Amino acid sequence: MQVHPRVLMSAYACGPGDEPEAAAGWAFARAAATSHQVHVITRHRFAPAITAELEREPELAQHLTVEYLDLSERVLARKRRGSDVYWYYALWQRALARRAAELHRATPFDVGHHVTFANDWLPCGLARVRDLPVVWGPVGGASVIPLRLVRWLGLRGTVTELLRGVLTAPLRAVWGDATARRAAVVVAQNETVARRFRRARNVVVEPNAALDDDLPERARPARPVPPGPESGSAPHVRRAVFIGRLLAWKGGRLAIETLARTPGWELHVYGTGYERPALDRLAGRRGVTDRVVFHGHRPRAEVLDAIAGCDAMLFPSMHDQAGWVAAEASALGRPVVCLPLGGVPLLADSNARPADLNGDVVGHLAARLAEAATAPGAPSGRWSVSRLPDVVTRLYRTAIDTAVVDTGAPTGSAA
């Protein structure tokens, strides 16, 4: 009888649906279950969707066990604001470490895998479990904004980024570096994070994007290049989309400045956030109010249709670790005009159109956007969910082999 390696997975967010972080956790869990016995620890809020999915797929349920862990009602009651997720997550990881150690002592696992909400400056509970080879990630967070871009953050954005650096740098040095030393494999969301933890035993770059296999089938042919002005036809307006929360570091101001320098384009913005009033004012000052359309937060299906129908995605985010929207645009064959920062160029893959950071950044973005009108992209399946079974198998094999080298003996149930 074939013995499947046993995997203990920590997934703070995990479940089928449109929530990217939870969808990533669920995709990794499903992928691992194709050739492993997987025990996932996540939170109760995902139980209904997971239970329904396992009932629909009894074969998956034979290889995937899900356990739900939350802190006490008293602690949960104090988790009211969005920022409270960070202290709650740290406490949750401590509780997970205790539960994981109990499970590992009772029936040893071959490998542990920490996925989702894997900020590289927050603790990893699995790293505290003795004699368990750990795969940490995909993790992100180490990317920083170059000083030359600070002018497009505004006051609130600048203060936020300063606080982010002051608060996360020491935590990364304490928790992140300790986890990287303990982990058998560090999985980085992008090259910047990989460089930060380059001294770890094994470092690989693998974003957590997990797109539906059929997403490229929704791609539409690129619109033809319009005739020149000598034809006498009406001017053709190209459409760019910006998708994301309207936070300063997402680059909304850069997007509007870029539009102001690119005649013949309009910008459709999908998302909400504190930057909206500033973006309205900037569009007015640059004289492009009639070429910027704010759609607010929209359902994912509508957003995907917007991407499929655009000429380019304009997404000058300054430190996105792994913005799925860039991967979705690439899957739909749309050029992604971006900055060479974070995970956006990686996820846009062959459809990335990164702008030079030297000199006139807005001018470089405008030039790349103008190029997109005559150099459309092509649908890409690079980040399809179907790649993940092979990915996790390689990660686990590396982790187990590393543990054997370190200890001189096999680990877990596969021993």
Side-chain angles (χ1 to χ4, degrees), residues 239-243 266-270 291-295 306:
R239 175 175 295 194
V241 296
F242 175 99
I243 297 166
E266 60 186 18
L267 179 66
H268 290 254
V269 180
Y270 292 82
R291 293 198 283 135
V292 180
V293 181
F294 291 94
H295 295 270

Side-chain angles (χ1 to χ4, degrees), residues 11 14 16 45 100 107 148 163 172 185 187 200 206 213 220 225 228 235 256 268 280 298 305 309 343 381 396 404 407:
C14 180
R45 64 171 288 230
T107 308
R148 66 178 66 93
L163 288 175
R172 185 174 294 110
V185 182
V187 187
E206 185 65 44
D213 290 336
R220 302 173 188 172
V225 178
I256 289 178
H268 290 254
D280 276 327
R298 308 303 303 162
D305 285 340
Y396 298 163
V404 170
T407 65

Side-chain angles (χ1 to χ4, degrees), residues 146 148-149 338-341 354-361 364:
R148 66 178 66 93
L149 299 181
C338 58
L339 299 174
L341 300 170
D356 193 338
L357 287 180
N358 295 312
D360 183 5
V361 176
H364 296 320

Side-chain angles (χ1 to χ4, degrees), residues 52 62 103 140-141 231 242 299 334 405:
Q62 294 178 11
L103 292 168
S231 67
F242 175 99
R334 294 302 177 248
V405 171

Side-chain angles (χ1 to χ4, degrees), residues 12 42-45 68-79 84-99:
Y12 183 78
T42 187
R43 292 176 295 146
H44 283 92
R45 64 171 288 230
Y68 303 99
L69 174 69
D70 276 303
L71 304 184
S72 68
E73 291 294 333
R74 182 178 178 182
V75 175
L76 275 170
R78 295 178 178 273
K79 184 172 172 280
D84 289 339
V85 69
Y86 296 108
W87 63 257
Y88 183 86
Y89 177 82
L91 294 178
W92 189 85
Q93 286 294 330
R94 188 169 67 176
L96 177 133
R98 291 193 295 267
R99 178 56 182 155

Side-chain angles (χ1 to χ4, degrees), residues 50-71:
I50 290 176
T51 300
E53 193 73 9
L54 292 178
E55 287 176 352
R56 283 194 294 268
E57 298 189 56
E59 185 175 343
L60 175 62
Q62 294 178 11
H63 301 281
L64 179 61
T65 301
V66 183
E67 177 177 331
Y68 303 99
L69 174 69
D70 276 303
L71 304 184

